[in-house]
Amino acid sequence: MSHVERAPFPRNMIENSMFEEEPDVVDLAKETPVYPLDPDEVVYEPRSSRLLVRGLGENDLEEEEEDYESSARLLGMSFMNRSSNLRNTSSPYTRQAPSGFCSMPSPRALVIGVFVLVLAASIAMVVYFLPRCTFTKDGCHQANSSAEVIYPKSSTGELFPWTEMRLPMSVHPLRYDLLLHPNLTTMTFQGSVSITVTAEKETKVVVLHSTDMRIIKTSFQGKELKTLEYKPWQQIAIQLEEELRPGQQYIFTLDYSANLSSSYDGFYNSSYTDTAGIKRVLAATQFEPLAARKAFPCFDEPAFKATFSIKIKREDGYISLSNMRKSKTTPLASGLFQDEFETSVNMSTYLVAFIVANMSSVGRNVSETQVSVYAVPDKKDQTLYALDAAVKLLAFYNTFFGIKYPLSKLDLVAIPDFLAGAMENWGLITFREATLLIGNHSSTLDKQLVTSVIAHELAHQWFGNLVTMKWWNDLWLNEGFATYMQYMSIGKVFPELEIGNEFLSTRFQALAKDSLNSSHAVSAVANTPEQVAEMFDSVSYEKGASILVMLNSALPDGNFQKGIIAYLNKYKWSNAVNQDLWSTMSSVTSQSFDVVQMMSTWTLQKGFPLVTVTRDGVVVQLHLWQIPLTYINNSCSNSSACKNLFILKEKTGKLQIAASVKWLKFNYKNEGFYVVDYGVDGWKTLIDALRNDVNVLLPEDRAVLINNIFALSRLGKVSFRQVLNLLDYISNETEAAPITEALVQLEDIYRLLDKRQDLGLVARMETYITDHFGTLMDSQSWEMETSVSKQTLRSALLETSCRLGRQNCRDKAMKLFNQWENSNGTKQIPGDLMRAVFSVAAQSDSGWKTLLSSYKMSLHDSEKRRMLEALASTPDVRKIVWILHAGLQGSDIQTPELPRIVRAVCQNFGGYLFAWDFVKQNWIQLTRKFPIGSFSLQSIIMSTTSQFSTQLHLDEVRDFFSTLKDGSSQMRVVDEAMETIKLNLRWMEKNVETLRRWL
């Protein structure tokens, strides 16, 4: 990258240089506002700040106008035309400058003028106060009466007596008595729910959630009541004859019927084919975030906690499971059985769960809790590892949190056809088979994945279940904590899994996501179902975990644990908000900074700081946010004892260092969530140090330098030549973390060049990668390996080597594949090498057909996933089209695997345009399978668009989404996709010539 021209910053990346002539920038280095700080609130200090949020550089105005014009098109109007008309047209009410004197208007003119003004004001008031109708997909109800506009029409045409998407607080549920009878032949179910509520204030209307079900009867105190439904908000209203009295308890009973969901939320049907070739069916639930209302009428918001007493009717040959232990089974005259479960603890509706299936289990008791792992009978032998991991992790959490797991049982269930990775239902955790089952084909990396998911979901039993966020805007209180705890607990309980490198990689991914202007604050607005769904992303999970790592590193030893124990004890069985956590942490910990003040800035605004370091002799000057800054130097750099902490509370900070210090490395092991720029001289000293001795820094810190310098290159802060200077040391590197990070960054550039068909630069990039990594690639073993770090390293190297077409790699891969094929799968391929081996084999027609046949027959899900990715890597267009449609249809390939298929197809030049066309042509079907805003849909959009780097593709993506009428165009991920293409385009324009010169 040329150092002459500076690439513009993403608008939420923080730069710390002085910009005296910047007229409209945002100062985030001022004294941090006392909580609460509105996520969209900014303080404007155009000339006095050293810490500035930059716009898009020199062309800010043009870019902003382009963005506004795009947004205007989505609203069905042309912003630029409107603004142009406004500028060029003088208003008839504009008073002209006097030419000499002002004439007095006539009385008639005054009357007419007043009438016109009153009429205009009235129209303006009507337009202002009437709802904008954004709550309905069908547009505004065209009615003459203002009351009919204020109150939406129910499905019967009557006015619906509630006007907000959130439920009223007039009543609060206390208990649900739920009876369900799923019919796995007709794929329908019948239900009856009695809800005990307490009135919080007088009301004659009870509003709750219900969707896609037929309410047969609603009764209250022996009387049948009328129920109205407003489908756009998934609400029903029970109208009462008399007002409920505050403080009194009441019981409502609703009888209903519905179809088992054909998507993957609510109470849905699932199927699989057993080893005898027989199709088996089951019914399971997935309620998070807003789908309990698909299974029974309820107050489907996290703050409406209640207890649940559940009964399920089932056929012989099936078992039923729910959150609590089964208390009894009653044979019925119809030949059915009715299972009754103990009344649950107080919990939110999204944590309720039940399953009707034919499953087998293994179990063990730990700390008076029966832990069981369930799977379909054919896979029972793959449940033992999960059981062992769950027992050990549950014991660890019981001790660490100082609060014993409160239920008498804990079930972990592998669902054959499941969309989410896993779901933390209290006492009945559901998983994909690939994230729970471990067989003899599984590698240590597979065990690492399964252990991570189990650790995450078990952590939720405290963070999310015992203490629940009040609303979905604070989802990170659930997911950020669970993510943090999964890595921390595995590091303590399973050190042999070497989870640190995986955690480092996920934090790098969070930095990349949060560097985009289309990102969002950790605690962000989430009102509509689509906005709620979009909160399930790397900001809530990985960034949430990252800022907890940062806080823990800044607190004295033991204080972080002390703070979270106090938080759990204070809010157990109830709900909490973002401020509650920081306030509790602050009140029980000893620290030299205000936790509330510091951490609120990290959760209530998007982005992260770019720390600029300037050294002047023995003085190091820093410009940054209020952050806990860690650093090491050449005198001590290879242990946590070397770490120094500096809490910066002002706009600019200065560190006094010894004259003997040759270099400084900030952000020890990436414990902080920020990027550091050392300046030309600072980078040079670090690069020289690595060239002289690669072990002068820990592997994690070497990986951080690689990650940061690539990020700074994309921003134009360092030249791409400087990136290559740093990577010169890599030929001496042998550790997984820095090598995998370097490969990730280089392959991103390689794929952009490949998709542009710049064959000359593609060849140069291949040569560059081979020159720097070829020796290490060729030295990798193809035999069984037990070390996680070695498996991570060799899988990254060999997958890259084979993908680049290096003959040595392809020959060895085919040798292993042929041995595996000839032995009918008994000659095992090391699990970490399967992706490389299968991908090479899939390039031929015979190899592809063998893999497809094996995929259909295999019982090992980790193996099946790697086969599937290999099948999707084929260059054969017909096979690409087939596999995409097979994933969508869900027969030969389960639909939850479609995002994985799309991602794999898009990695190769032969497939990425077909994948994009597939998405455009099948958009309606995709949104039926995956809800708008869901993580799966986000993944599909980013996989198919993130490697575009031309104006033509940018226009095509913008035009496609702007024509959609289902709300898809408003998804945050659409903005992310278009922003990513713009950044790719800009980077290519500025760096292609640099690449030609230096590669």
Side-chain angles (χ1 to χ4, degrees), residues 15-66:
E15 185 182 14
N16 305 284
S17 306
M18 177 71 83
F19 291 93
E20 289 295 341
E21 299 302 320
E22 188 72 7
D24 284 308
V25 293
V26 184
D27 184 358
L28 295 175
K30 291 174 65 64
E31 193 71 8
T32 309
V34 177
Y35 196 99
L37 172 68
D38 183 44
D40 297 321
E41 181 178 327
V42 291
V43 182
Y44 289 92
E45 292 282 340
R47 293 184 179 276
S48 61
S49 173
R50 292 180 181 272
L51 180 58
L52 307 172
V53 175
R54 291 284 286 158
L56 287 177
E58 300 172 343
N59 299 317
D60 282 352
L61 180 60
E62 292 79 5
E63 289 291 327
E64 285 296 313
E65 288 181 346
E66 179 183 47

Side-chain angles (χ1 to χ4, degrees), residues 180 189 209-214 234 256-268 285-287 290-298 300 354 928-929 931:
L180 291 160
F189 68 98
H209 290 111
S210 172
T211 184
D212 297 334
M213 61 181 63
R214 183 172 69 92
Q234 303 175 351
Y256 61 96
S257 64
N259 294 323
L260 288 170
S261 173
S262 58
S263 59
Y264 296 94
D265 60 354
F267 194 17
Y268 74 95
T285 59
Q286 170 61 39
F287 289 163
L290 306 174
R293 64 194 68 176
K294 287 188 172 186
F296 58 99
C298 57
D300 200 12
F354 30 87
R928 288 173 182 163
K929 299 283 188 180

Side-chain angles (χ1 to χ4, degrees), residues 404-420:
K404 185 177 176 295
Y405 174 76
L407 306 189
S408 62
K409 68 99 171 173
L410 174 63
D411 296 336
L412 296 81
V413 185
I415 306 293
D417 199 11
F418 191 70
L419 183 58

Side-chain angles (χ1 to χ4, degrees), residues 836-905:
V837 171
F838 290 157
S839 294
V840 171
Q843 305 310 299
S844 69
D845 185 65
S846 60
W848 194 91
K849 289 178 179 177
T850 297
L851 285 170
L852 179 60
S853 176
S854 299
Y855 173 83
K856 294 177 179 180
M857 298 298 295
S858 176
L859 290 175
H860 301 279
D861 289 274
S862 59
E863 180 182 66
K864 288 175 66 110
R865 280 190 161 189
R866 290 165 181 134
M867 289 178 182
L868 191 60
E869 290 168 335
L871 290 168
S873 71
T874 176
D876 189 316
V877 171
R878 292 172 299 175
K879 292 184 175 69
I880 290 172
V881 172
W882 180 88
I883 199 170
L884 288 168
H885 284 278
L888 182 61
Q889 293 165 5
S891 53
D892 292 313
I893 299 171
Q894 292 178 338
T895 298
E897 296 292 354
L898 182 59
R900 179 180 300 274
I901 293 171
V902 171
R903 184 166 60 250
V905 167

Side-chain angles (χ1 to χ4, degrees), residues 8 329 776 963:
T329 297
L776 197 57
T963 60

Side-chain angles (χ1 to χ4, degrees), residues 520-770:
H520 62 88
V522 170
S523 181
V525 174
N527 292 324
T528 68
E530 293 80 13
Q531 289 172 336
V532 169
E534 285 197 292
M535 291 299 292
F536 291 80
D537 65 1
S538 64
V539 173
S540 296
Y541 285 71
E542 284 79 24
K543 183 180 179 180
S546 297
I547 63 175
L548 294 174
V549 171
M550 183 170 63
L551 177 60
N552 185 31
S553 70
L555 293 172
D557 286 346
N559 272 236
F560 183 79
Q561 181 181 2
K562 180 181 176 182
I564 61 176
I565 289 174
Y567 167 75
L568 289 172
N569 276 297
K570 185 174 182 178
Y571 294 101
K572 61 184 177 183
W573 308 113
S574 61
N575 300 82
V577 298
N578 188 63
Q579 185 182 5
D580 295 332
L581 170 64
W582 305 137
S583 297
T584 306
M585 296 283 284
S586 182
S587 66
V588 300
T589 59
S590 58
Q591 69 281 324
S592 58
F593 56 92
D594 187 327
V595 171
V596 175
Q597 189 177 45
M598 174 183 290
M599 298 309 296
S600 294
T601 65
W602 291 92
T603 55
L604 297 176
Q605 57 191 358
K606 63 185 177 182
F608 53 84
L610 168 59
V611 179
T612 301
V613 181
T614 305
R615 181 172 178 177
D616 182 10
V618 296
V619 177
V620 176
Q621 185 165 319
L622 310 161
H623 309 297
L624 31 119
W625 276 3
Q626 181 176 337
I627 64 172
L629 183 72
T630 58
Y631 64 95
I632 52 178
N633 62 51
N634 58 283
S635 65
C636 183
S637 59
N638 280 312
S639 78
S640 59
C642 301
K643 180 176 68 174
N644 298 279
L645 176 66
F646 182 81
I647 303 294
L648 189 70
K649 299 180 180 179
E650 306 296 332
K651 300 177 185 178
T652 301
K654 293 185 178 180
L655 292 175
Q656 197 74 25
I657 59 175
S660 60
V661 171
K662 297 178 181 178
W663 52 261
L664 289 169
K665 160 66 176 66
F666 287 85
N667 198 6
Y668 176 73
K669 296 176 72 173
N670 204 53
E671 290 179 343
F673 197 73
Y674 52 87
V675 168
V676 183
D677 183 13
Y678 298 91
V680 174
D681 292 337
W683 278 110
K684 184 177 185 304
T685 58
L686 285 168
I687 291 171
D688 289 343
L690 284 176
R691 285 175 175 171
N692 293 331
D693 179 9
V694 70
N695 294 311
V696 74
L697 291 173
L698 292 172
E700 297 93 331
D701 280 317
R702 305 199 294 268
V704 171
L705 289 180
I706 293 170
N707 174 273
N708 283 191
I709 202 166
F710 270 97
L712 293 167
S713 171
R714 284 192 293 272
L715 300 175
K717 294 293 291 181
V718 303
S719 68
F720 196 71
R721 179 58 192 164
Q722 210 161 1
V723 175
L724 300 179
N725 285 341
L726 174 62
L727 291 184
D728 282 345
Y729 100 92
I730 208 77
S731 57
N732 296 321
E733 183 62 80
T734 58
E735 295 294 331
I739 287 176
T740 54
E741 180 60 22
L743 288 174
V744 164
Q745 298 289 348
L746 289 170
E747 286 199 350
D748 281 348
I749 297 172
Y750 175 84
R751 290 192 184 100
L752 286 178
L753 295 171
D754 185 46
K755 300 306 186 293
R756 292 170 69 102
Q757 279 292 276
D758 192 327
L759 301 181
L761 273 181
V762 168
R764 293 188 194 183
M765 180 62 77
E766 290 175 353
T767 300
Y768 178 86
I769 294 173
T770 298

